[in-house]
Every structure is written in structure tokens, then in C-alpha cells.
DNA sequence: AATGAATGAGGGTTCATTCAT
DNA sequence: AATGAATGAACCCTCATTCAT
């Protein structure tokens, strides 16, 4: 056990609250009350609220990236000129997300909220911190993806990646709400795995879509 | 002019701040200072911060839905058995979003943030308020869309719609950040119209994607 | 009444507490409790604790300097080549201090503590703020003083002024303690006027003292 | 080495910080961080923050008083009816202060701040602790001083001593600030010995000043 | 002899809101 | 219609201290 018991209680409580309410709406008092520890404990163990956010960031971003990195290595074996379909690569992402989820029921929502947060204008520090963490580990994955999709310019690829991210971030960070709507509307209890599964063909198709510029530009 | 001058100043200032910082991070003091009005003015004119949020919600959701409703009517003429391609329907959405943008540079980001907010667990009231506003007006549009996409179950369609929403919400509400990354990375100044344009084929393809259940379920 | 009732209550309470306990030891909660106002009132009226300190600074420094400025003008009449004895100038200072005291029993101690505070390394802002306030108003006074004392270099004069200041600051800011020692030791109830009075010949003599460099430098 | 290495590191660090920032503004965390020891070490070695203050108090007050006591003995030889000029006695004080300074660059400022602190209303314990330490050792010194100055009542002498103390306490505890003003204003790098030297004639003259009651009482 | 972990109390500040005018 | 003043509640954080090891 690397972290103290108290620090782990804090992390666990914080993840649940962050996942449900978002980061700014979650207060230190809520966290420490839920973790049944002293209010000062967060600052003792993590320095500040922002420090706690960075700690959960590292806790989940690291394994996520590692999983993908390893999956790529395993898939390629030794050869460096293989290609992998984007469909398969999307599956890897989903499996990596499931890995993240292992530890904790709320982990996945929180992880997605974290990605969302990192794109806020004011969160340049967090954004660069996270980017620094993953950009090397995901390099080969991104190269493989780029190689498989239909030819497009770099910035087109950039935006498409963020369209994908948006789908994931929005539906997974709001999973609780969406699941309850699904329950009311269709009387079905959806599992998060199910949503990950559903995302694969949609994201793949989106990535592969042929750019058609004829219509809209007439606007 | 239905609203008083003060109320309009408040709305304008609030939109810009909501767009940049998000709703919970934006304070009444920031809003009233930017609008150059008294601190109490928001409560006076809109009852509460939540009231102000609902006001901007109505201000932008209404024209958005109206635009789509009208576009559908125009497209269909009188006949009720026509079909419209999903691609064309996506274009309608993008044009509707551009309509929203007319009024104000920040409006689109804010509108997207509003949608995001409405899916928070704690925002049931806002969510139902918004749902109440749009569900009738968008009914025909959704039916047309449903008719054009490959056959799928209702809940599959429900999730796909939210994947689409996610792409829009994430990239447009964080447009400022993404644009500045694009600037740094590719040295291109991207316009929001450009992003809307790029989204059309991706979202259409995502919607149309064939569900392929063979791989992942073995997980 | 320029300031609101609440702001004045705060000032009054703050002066008493600052005078007794010093600035860093005095808390906002103590102040607002003593003033019987809401905790947030200090920040509302003065922006911050530092703002409150600057407000009391201005409140007392201004009349003090004005008194001296006016006293000098009156004494000189129209003529600009008169000389005034340093003894008389010291009396002016003491009378100016009594003026400060008028408003409030604790004002003088607090005013002296304020001077003390302003010489702390960390209080550059306050120091410059205060210096900015008084340096013009006291210019003629200081020139007169300089003219009357035995010839010495500028920096010698600088240090002597601060020796004088030290006598005033130390004994007046700690007047309460010193008075109670006097009570125990000599069974006398000393008034602050009495101390001011006693200071005059001592400070004058100190200022006028002939520099004698023979002894100590052999050290 | 009487004290443990850790305790000495703490003392050294604390002196520097106390000297620069004053006692209440200096935190245990700052001290232990600067001393590179555990946060709990201060309480372990000195019982409390107040205990640490008392420790530095003893560390410097003791040698200071001893120096003066010995200097008086040496000066008097065996005879008990000699007189010593107040000028010479002031020199002794300055030499004693230089002794204090030997150990540590910040010691003198801190020692003066300590005297200042001891006159705070709330520091009765510290004040009596210090008084208890020095009053016997300084008895003969004070008698000699009393004998040399012009005749005055006991309480007049009491106040004059505190005027002197004020000059020393104020200028030496704020030496860093004053030195930097001197640098800016007169472009001179002043040494603390220089200030001590300058104080001698001023303090002596102040002590010796004839009380002149004619003017001010008319106020 | 020494320390990492933890804590209760309290620090200054800011929040959205309300009230009297 | 509008606002300056004021407020209760809550914010994050830091304090000196203690405890188990």
C-alpha cells in the first residue's frame, strides 16, 4: 500500500463526488465528510484541491495510457510495418476504459469529466500536465490510427479525434443521467460496457467518413 | 425591446462569461461587473442565478428549435411521406447552430455548455425545462432522421443521438481552447463554421454505421 | 457622515483591537464580533483586511500630517526665512499626536503600531503608501528641523529621525503595558499626554547631540 | 554540544525568520522547512512555539546581561563608590549588543523584536520571564546610570529608559528595511555597528536632557 | 531521538441572496 | 425600476499541536 489509508479514503470519496457533481461543484467538506476524515487531510496529503484533482488524474490516466501502449505492442508483435484496423483500435480504447473502471464504479465518469475539465480555458496547467503524461505513450496508437483512416489533412484528423473524444466524454461523464433516462424511456437497465460497445462502430464510421464538401459550403 | 436595457446588458455579459468559464465558475459579481450594473440586478431581473441560466437557455434554445422546425416544414412542403437524407438533416442542425451564433460571438459555446449542464444529475429541473421546450418542435426532425438511418432499436438510436450530441457539445463548448491548440499546432486560424462543416460527414457516418457485435462482446 | 454606520463601527472596533493586539494577531472575526456586524462586512466595505489597515492608516495619518503642516504655516506667518527651534517643533509633533488621539482612546497606540508595521520588510506597499501620503505635507517641517539642529550629514539626520520615531513608536504603541508597569512600580496613573510631554526635551536633546566619534570607533 | 544538532538547526532557522518577519507572522512550517527538519521537531525539542521563543530569548538575553554585568565589574574594579559617565555606559550597551550579534547575522534584529514582543499586553508571561532574567544582572548598571544623569524622579527615569529602548528596538529590529532605504536614498551601505555607534551620543543626550515644563503644559 | 500522519480550530475571503430605500 | 448596504453560509486553506510508531 503506497498511499496511506486516509489518502485512499479521500481518493475514493472524491472520485464518487467528482463523478456525480463535477469538480468545481464538489467541496472539500463534502469530500472529507464522505471519506470520514478530517477536513485538513486533503491539504495534508494532496496539497490543495487542485493537487487532489491532479492525483486522480494521474491515477487513471496512467493505467489508461499504459493499457493502450501495451495493447499496441502486443498486437504488433515485433514487426513495425503491420497495419491495424481503426475498428480494432477503437476496441482497444474501449477495453482500456474498462480497465480504468475496474478500480471503482465512478472512475470512468470521473475520468471523462477530467478530460472535459482539462479543455477549459482556465485549466492550461492541468491540460499540459495531462498532455505531457500521455502523448508519448499514445504516439504509436495514434500513428496506427492515422494510417488506417482515409487520407486527410492533419488538422482534419485533429478535429475528428476530438469529435470522438466528445462522444466518449459526454456520454460517459453523464452516464448516470443517461442511464436513468433510458430506464424511464425504454425500461432498460443499461451497463456502461454496453455503451462502450455501442460506441465502437459509430466512432469508427465517423473517423472513416468521406469528407464531402459540396453542400454546406454554399451556406 | 421586450427586456429592459439592464437585463440585456446582463444577458450579454453572462453569455460571454458562461461561454468562457462555465456556469458554476461564473459568479454574479463577475457578471454584474462586466455588465456594468448593480450586483442586485441579476436577482431583480431574473430572480436568481438559476433564473438567469434558464433565461439564456430559452433565449437560444427557442430559436434553435424553431429554425429546425421551420427548415423541416420548408423541406417537406405539404407532403408528409417524403424522406430526407440524414446528411441533409445534419446540415440543418449545423445551420440552426449558426443561427444561434448570429446574435453573439459567445452564444454557441454557451449554448453547448448549457446542453452539457442540463445532463448533470443535479440539474433535473433545467433538463426537464429544456426537454419540455424542444421535444415537440423537434419531433418531425427526429422522425425523419430515424427513418433515414439504418434500422436499429429505439435505445440504440437514443445512444447514437447522444454520441452526436457529445461531439457537438464537447468541441463547440471548448472551441476557444481547441482553436488555440490548432493555432499552436498547425498554425491555422479556424472558424467555428469550419468545425460545423467538418462535423457533418462524421456525424452522418456515425449515425449510419452498421452495428457489428462480433468482436467486442467476447470481452 | 461619509462612511456608513457599519463601516464606522468596524473602524472603531478594529482600532481598539489593533491597538491592543497588533495587526497580524487581530482577526476579522474578532473585529466583526466587536463591531457587532457581519463577518463579510469588512470585505464589503474595505475589500480585505489589508484594505482595512490602509483605511485606518489614512484616517489617522492624514489629520496628523495636516496638523503639522498647518502648525508650520501658522508659526511662520508669511515670512519664509524664519527659524523655529527644534524644541518647538517637537512640541508641534506632540500636539499633532494629541489631535490624533481626540477621536478615539486607542487611536494613538494604533497609529504608532501602524508606523511600526510599515517598516516591516514585507510591508513595502503600505510603507510606500504612507510615505506618499506624508512626504509632501511634512517637507517644510523637516526642513525647519534640519535647519535648527547642529550641522550633520543627511544620513546622520535620517538615522536620528528614526531614533526619535523609535522612542515614540515603542512607548506609545506599548503605552497600555508601560502604564500598568508604572502603576505597579510607582503607584502612579500616567496619562498619555504626560508621556508626550516627557518626550519633548529628550527627543530635542537627542536630535541636538554633538556627534562624538572618539570613543566607540576604537572598538 | 549541549543541544542536539536538530535543535540547533531549528534555532538558527527560527532566528532568521523571526528577525525578518516577526514572531506571529513566522509559522512552524516555515521554521522546520528552513531548518530541514520534521514539522514536529519544534514541539519535540521546545514544547511549543512559545517555548521556542523563550529559548531564543534565553539564548540572547543571558549573554547580553552577562556582558553588561561583567563590563561593569571590570570598570569598577573593587571600589563601589566610583561613578561612570552615562556616555560610557551607553557604549557598554552597544558593545553588549555587538556581542549578541556575534553568533548570527540576524540575532540582533531578532533580539530587539523579542524585547518589543515582551511589551505586548498579551505577553505578560514572556515579559516577566525576561524581567526575571535580567533585573538582577543589570541592577548595578542601572544604578550607575541613575547616578550619572541629572536628578529626576524615579518614574521620569523609567520613561526615559524606555525612550532609549524604543530607539534601539525600532531601529535595530527594522534594520533591514532602514538599511535598504539608506541605500536607495543616500547610496550608502550601512553596517549595524555604524548605527550602534550613532546611537550613543543621541541616547546619552536624551538621558541627560533637562526637563523643561514651561511650554507644553499650557496645552 | 525523531517522525509521518493526522487533527480541531480558526484563518481570510467569497458566494448568491435579500432588504430598505 | 433599480441600487447600495448588508448578510448567513460556505469556500479553500493553514495554523500549532498531538499521537502512534
Amino acid at each position: 500500500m503506497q498511499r496511506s489509508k486516509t489518502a485512499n479514503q479521500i481518493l475514493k470519496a472524491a472520485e464518487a463526488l467528482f463523478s456525480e457533481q463535477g469538480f468545481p461543484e464538489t467541496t472539500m467538506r463534502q469530500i472529507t465528510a464522505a471519506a470520514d476524515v478530517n477536513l485538513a487531510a486533503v491539504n495534508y496529503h494532496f496539497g490543495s484541491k487542485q493537487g487532489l484533482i491532479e492525483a486522480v488524474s494521474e491515477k487513471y490516466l496512467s493505467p489508461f495510457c499504459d493499457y493502450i501502449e501495451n495493447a499496441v505492442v502486443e498486437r504488433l508483435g515485433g514487426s513495425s510495418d503491420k497495419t491495424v484496423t481503426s475498428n480494432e483500435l477503437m476496441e482497444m480504447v474501449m477495453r482500456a476504459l474498462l480497465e480504468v473502471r475496474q478500480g471503482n464504479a465512478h472512475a470512468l465518469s470521473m475520468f471523462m469529466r477530467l478530460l472535459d475539465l482539462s479543455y477549459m480555458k482556465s485549466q492550461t496547467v492541468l491540460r499540459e500536465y495531462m498532455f505531457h503524461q500521455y502523448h508519448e505513450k499514445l504516439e504509436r496508437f495514434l500513428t496506427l490510427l492515422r494510417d488506417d483512416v482515409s487520407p486527410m489533412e492533419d488538422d482534419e484528423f485533429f478535429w475528428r479525434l476530438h469529435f470522438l473524444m466528445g462522444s466518449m466524454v459526454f456520454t460517459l461523464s453523464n452516464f448516470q443521467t443517461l442511464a436513468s433516462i433510458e430506464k424511464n424511456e425504454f425500461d432498460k437497465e443499461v451497463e456502461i460496457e454496453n455503451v462502450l460497445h455501442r460506441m465502437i462502430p459509430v466512432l469508427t464510421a465517423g473517423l472513416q467518413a468521406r469528407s464531402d464538401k459540396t453542400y454546406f459550403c454554399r451556406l
Side-chain angles (χ1 to χ4, degrees), chain A:
Chain A
M1 201 204 299
Q2 201 155 341
R3 277 209 169 88
S4 80
K5 189 186 147 208
T6 298
N8 278 320
Q9 284 172 260
I10 291 172
L11 281 172
K12 196 177 165 191
E15 285 159 17
L17 288 161
F18 285 156
S19 148
E20 284 199 5
Q21 309 180 334
F23 299 92
E25 297 90 341
T26 299
T27 72
M28 306 278 270
R29 278 175 172 81
Q30 289 177 324
I31 294 169
T32 51
D36 197 28
V37 301
N38 187 274
L39 173 58
V42 172
N43 281 69
Y44 177 74
H45 287 283
F46 302 97
S48 66
K49 189 184 178 182
Q50 192 66 23
L52 173 58
I53 292 177
E54 275 161 28
V56 295
S57 159
E58 202 212 330
K59 180 173 166 193
Y60 291 105
L61 186 55
S62 243
F64 174 79
C65 295
D66 290 346
Y67 182 93
I68 293 203
E69 194 178 26
N70 293 334
V72 166
V73 169
E74 274 182 35
R75 179 62 180 77
L76 292 183
S79 69
S80 64
D81 57 347
K82 265 192 201 159
T83 62
V84 184
T85 65
S86 50
N87 195 70
E88 204 177 334
L89 292 165
M90 286 299 107
E91 278 183 36
M92 277 183 197
V93 172
M94 300 306 148
R95 284 202 179 90
L97 290 176
L98 278 180
E99 276 295 303
V100 166
R101 205 214 165 186
Q102 295 279 358
N104 187 306
H106 303 282
L108 198 43
S109 294
M110 196 222 53
F111 184 39
M112 290 298 112
R113 263 190 218 294
L114 200 54
L115 286 180
D116 205 14
L117 179 68
S118 77
Y119 278 87
M120 296 243 48
K121 197 191 171 194
S122 61
Q123 294 285 2
T124 313
V125 175
L126 177 64
R127 188 163 57 251
E128 281 168 3
Y129 172 78
M130 292 180 76
F131 179 76
H132 176 75
Q133 284 236 325
Y134 72 70
H135 87 289
E136 270 191 55
K137 292 182 183 168
L138 299 189
E139 205 170 21
R140 294 188 72 188
F141 170 84
L142 288 171
T143 308
L144 286 172
L145 194 60
R146 189 86 174 81
D147 289 345
D148 187 61
V149 297
S150 50
M152 61 182 79
E153 302 213 7
D154 278 353
D155 61 330
E156 175 77 22
F157 186 64
F158 165 82
W159 283 101
R160 292 208 177 182
L161 280 181
H162 284 96
F163 297 151
L164 302 199
M165 264 190 70
S167 297
M168 293 192 296
V169 163
F170 179 76
T171 51
L172 298 180
S173 68
N174 296 310
F175 177 73
Q176 212 170 105
T177 299
L178 288 165
S180 87
I181 296 176
E182 164 118 338
K183 183 72 165 48
N184 288 340
E185 207 94 347
F186 311 110
D187 199 34
K188 290 196 181 175
E189 304 268 6
V190 70
E191 297 292 319
I192 211 161
E193 288 92 335
N194 186 244
V195 176
L196 294 177
H197 193 185
R198 284 178 148 131
M199 236 183 278
I200 297 171
V202 175
L203 301 190
T204 306
L207 258 181
Q208 296 284 8
R210 250 183 347 107
S211 240
D212 179 6
K213 303 193 175 186
T214 50
Y215 266 103
F216 193 73
C217 22
R218 270 186 272 136
L219 179 75

